Amino acid sequence: MPTYCRTPASSRSVDNILLTLSVHATICQYEGLPFRYPGNKYTWKHFCDMSDARVLAEQQIWAAVFDVGFVAYEESDEKFDWLGMMKGKGKMWDEIVEKYELLETKMEDITCFEALNVVLNFRFQHVCSMIKSREFEFLGYADTLKSIQMWVGRLRAMKMIPRR
């Protein structure tokens, strides 16, 4: 897992990309907006360090679990300012936390929109190799799809995001 994503069930981690996406999806749902892919065309079409097309498809299904409409990547999205859209949503997050009786958190304490924006707007492939680790017989791995489902479930159990 990339360094900036090492605490997937932390209730107070700004380095948590899955939680950042979950907060974004929750706010989209709360406002009645579709969840738009916040990255660029390159990251939409290319393999990334912890994902592939199947993971992106699973993420679309995951987003649908929040009852959020999903808009696939479109060329015009390059101009979509999702950082601007999320700016100032702290009070709305406070409303969501209160309404769904979530763990009391401040959006700016649990999200990393700027870091996620960097990752989703790479214009090069970002893939780390496990070859050296495998040569030294480290065989550990995590199934990304199962991990996402498990960590989202854990975030719900922790009352970090609303249940369906």
Side-chain angles (χ1 to χ4, degrees), residues 5-32:
C5 192
R6 64 184 173 277
T7 53
S10 171
S11 63
R12 297 275 194 267
S13 175
V14 296
D15 296 336
N16 189 326
I17 288 177
L18 183 60
L19 181 54
T20 298
L21 284 171
S22 298
V23 168
H24 177 53
T26 299
I27 287 177
C28 287
Q29 177 191 27
Y30 195 76
E31 289 188 309

Side-chain angles (χ1 to χ4, degrees), residues 32-108:
L33 299 172
F35 178 85
R36 293 174 67 180
Y37 180 70
N40 65 20
K41 180 178 180 179
Y42 192 89
T43 59
W44 176 259
K45 291 188 170 262
H46 288 85
F47 179 82
C48 187
D49 200 16
M50 58 182 191
S51 182
D52 65 21
R54 292 169 295 174
V55 175
L56 293 174
E58 192 67 22
Q59 185 183 28
Q60 292 174 26
I61 293 166
W62 168 78
V65 170
F66 280 99
D67 296 324
V68 178
F70 180 79
V71 179
Y73 177 81
E74 297 175 8
E75 291 284 337
S76 63
D77 284 345
E78 294 280 335
K79 294 182 179 21
F80 171 52
D81 180 14
W82 83 288
L83 288 178
M85 176 201 154
M86 295 307 293
K87 190 173 280 227
K89 300 289 187 192
K91 288 188 187 289
M92 183 178 295
W93 181 250
D94 293 344
E95 290 174 22
I96 292 168
V97 166
E98 185 176 337
K99 179 177 180 176
Y100 294 100
E101 299 178 348
L102 302 177
L103 182 67
E104 193 172 322
T105 55
K106 294 292 180 195
M107 190 174 80
E108 58 273 7

